[in-house]
Amino acid sequence: MKLQASEIPSAKHQARKRSPKFLPTILISIVIFFTLYFPFFPKKFTLPFNITDYRKPPETTVFIPAEVVDYRAGSGGESASSTTCDLFSGEWVPNPGGPYYTNTTCHTIQEHQNCMKFGRPDTGFMKWRWKPDDCELPVFDPQSFLQLMKGKSLGFVGDSVARNHMQSLICLLSRVVRPVDVSRPTDENILYQYTQYNFNISIISSPYLVRTRRSDPHDITRPFLLYLDEFDEAWTAKIAAFDFLIISAGHWFSRPTYFYLNGSLAGCLYCADPNVTQMASTFSYGRAFRTAFRAINGAAAAGGFKGVAFLRTFAPSHFEGGPWDKGGDCVRTAPFGRNEKEMEGHELDMYRVQLEELGIARTVGRRTGVKLRLFDVTKPMVLRADGHPSKYGHWPGVNQTIPNDCVHWCLPGPIDSWNDMLQELVRREVVQTTY
């Protein structure tokens, strides 16, 4: 199954590790860094981010001797067994047993997530788990998860934070088994197979979720054109292949873009054209999710999708002390307490748009029979300003200032808890189907 188109044309070249010998090479490296990390700020050097440089796993499935690990969480290790328990309201509590893999035991950690490789001095950010208020959420158990997913397919659709999530899952499963990469060498959309379990995981790049093209095919700094009512067939044509589908999107929607509806220009965000109506990013964000849900509902109505689709909500960045290009950083070493930090401003607006569109789609879904579920990471992740790479996603630059990364997440790190949640969400669906 072919799974997606290129995200960043130049990203392929990052796999070749060459020491820069000439000034042009250094300048190109700086441009690529900005391209990958900071897409979302207007009127400046604003480029799309999505990192696709992979070290491919072995060509055959590798089974790893399992260590004796107690994956239960909390006293007695009770599961969040009640489907009425809200997994997403709670707080971060110490987890001395973490992390459950390292940057040397997992092969899918990309350079910009590899905080320990690049000298992050503190390790406490890896030793917290999410604790819902009304139940216990077990820490991810790779053996249990693989049994739940036996004979099934899991797809991630979105941007590089979706890829970050998928890589966390691969790392957690690597305690037991490493997958086979069955994607084509030139395909930036990865398909992993766990052959013993007849289970596969894929990542499909679709940062805007809808059909998109560049205003200038030769200049990625130029605004993108979003056809907000048209499907991105890179993923919508493959919906039926998945038993579980996780869609997400976020930071790309804050970069300059033109909006099209019914094939006509309807407005823009941060464009320089005075004859085009300026519109908020929440407009394109809501329309994109509406179209994405329409694709899922349509696939279900046609009998092609019988699985479960999750909306994984917006994961906020945490720049403090200034914006990304003015020295903003994320240097905290522990989570905020539950009452120390709240959603506000742009992040709150984006979150509300997602919930509104999910509600609309669920109303339609009652007729199609589709299963649309909320996977709410926003509230937990507002509190995790300590979990980003900051300056520890690369070696220090010589005679250059490289902006800090407060968008992606260190691995191991806080987003490993997303897979604690995922395991419970999947378990609930399997139990409901069984009984």
Side-chain angles (χ1 to χ4, degrees), residues 1 30 144 149 175 226 249 254 256 260 273 285 322 330 341 355 382 389 423 433:
M1 179 173 69
I30 295 172
S144 296
M149 299 300 289
R175 294 185 63 89
L226 308 187
S254 295
Y260 286 79
D273 191 337
Y285 200 53
C330 37
K341 180 75 172 176
L355 298 186
V382 164
Q423 178 176 250
T433 302

Side-chain angles (χ1 to χ4, degrees), residues 94-117:
N95 182 31
Y100 296 95
Y101 62 91
T102 72
N103 65 321
T104 61
T105 62
C106 181
H107 65 284
T108 58
I109 299 177
Q110 293 176 260
E111 293 285 277
H112 73 290
Q113 304 157 347
N114 201 338
C115 302
M116 304 314 293
K117 172 180 177 178

Side-chain angles (χ1 to χ4, degrees), residues 132-295:
D133 288 330
D134 299 324
C135 56
E136 292 292 343
L137 178 63
V139 172
F140 185 88
D141 180 345
Q143 285 284 14
S144 296
F145 187 80
L146 288 167
Q147 289 300 323
L148 285 171
M149 299 300 289
K150 203 165 188 177
K152 295 179 174 60
S153 178
L154 170 63
F156 292 84
V157 174
D159 56 22
S160 57
V161 179
R163 190 182 299 274
N164 206 172
H165 182 189
M166 181 270 293
Q167 289 162 334
S168 165
L169 177 59
I170 298 290
C171 287
L172 288 163
L173 291 173
S174 70
R175 294 185 63 89
V176 175
V177 61
R178 291 177 183 167
V180 181
D181 182 353
V182 296
S183 48
R184 297 189 307 179
T186 57
D187 197 344
E188 292 166 337
N189 303 294
I190 306 302
L191 173 61
Y192 291 115
Q193 284 189 348
Y194 291 82
T195 53
Q196 184 185 19
Y197 299 91
N198 189 25
F199 164 51
N200 66 71
I201 299 174
S202 57
I203 175 72
I204 303 178
S205 174
S206 185
Y208 289 113
L209 300 177
V210 295
R211 187 170 82 84
T212 306
R213 68 183 181 90
R214 295 178 183 173
S215 58
D216 183 341
H218 304 294
D219 185 357
I220 59 176
T221 70
R222 302 294 298 159
F224 278 45
L225 312 182
L226 308 187
Y227 296 85
L228 294 171
D229 52 359
E230 298 183 33
F231 297 155
D232 177 2
E233 294 190 358
W235 71 272
T236 60
K238 302 173 177 67
I239 293 173
F242 298 109
D243 297 285
F244 295 97
L245 180 66
I246 303 173
I247 66 168
S248 59
H251 300 287
W252 281 66
F253 284 84
S254 295
R255 73 175 309 281
T257 39
Y258 286 93
F259 309 145
Y260 286 79
L261 292 169
N262 298 315
S264 299
L265 182 62
C268 71
L269 176 68
Y270 302 128
C271 69
D273 191 337
N275 297 317
V276 180
T277 302
Q278 295 284 337
M279 307 177 86
S281 59
T282 48
F283 172 79
S284 58
Y285 200 53
R287 288 302 186 103
F289 273 102
R290 188 172 302 180
T291 299
F293 288 133
R294 180 162 55 88

Side-chain angles (χ1 to χ4, degrees), residues 331-356:
V331 298
R332 296 179 184 270
T333 58
F336 287 109
R338 66 187 306 154
N339 297 319
E340 288 186 78
K341 180 75 172 176
E342 294 183 353
M343 280 183 286
E344 58 186 0
H346 174 72
E347 292 171 351
L348 180 57
D349 292 341
M350 299 287 269
Y351 178 64
R352 284 173 171 167
V353 164
Q354 287 185 306
L355 298 186
E356 179 181 350

Side-chain angles (χ1 to χ4, degrees), residues 17-37:
K17 295 185 177 180
R18 295 177 179 171
S19 300
K21 297 180 179 179
F22 305 102
L23 180 60
T25 304
I26 296 174
L27 293 175
I28 290 171
S29 299
I30 295 172
V31 169
I32 289 174
F33 180 87
F34 275 81
T35 300
L36 297 178
Y37 285 96

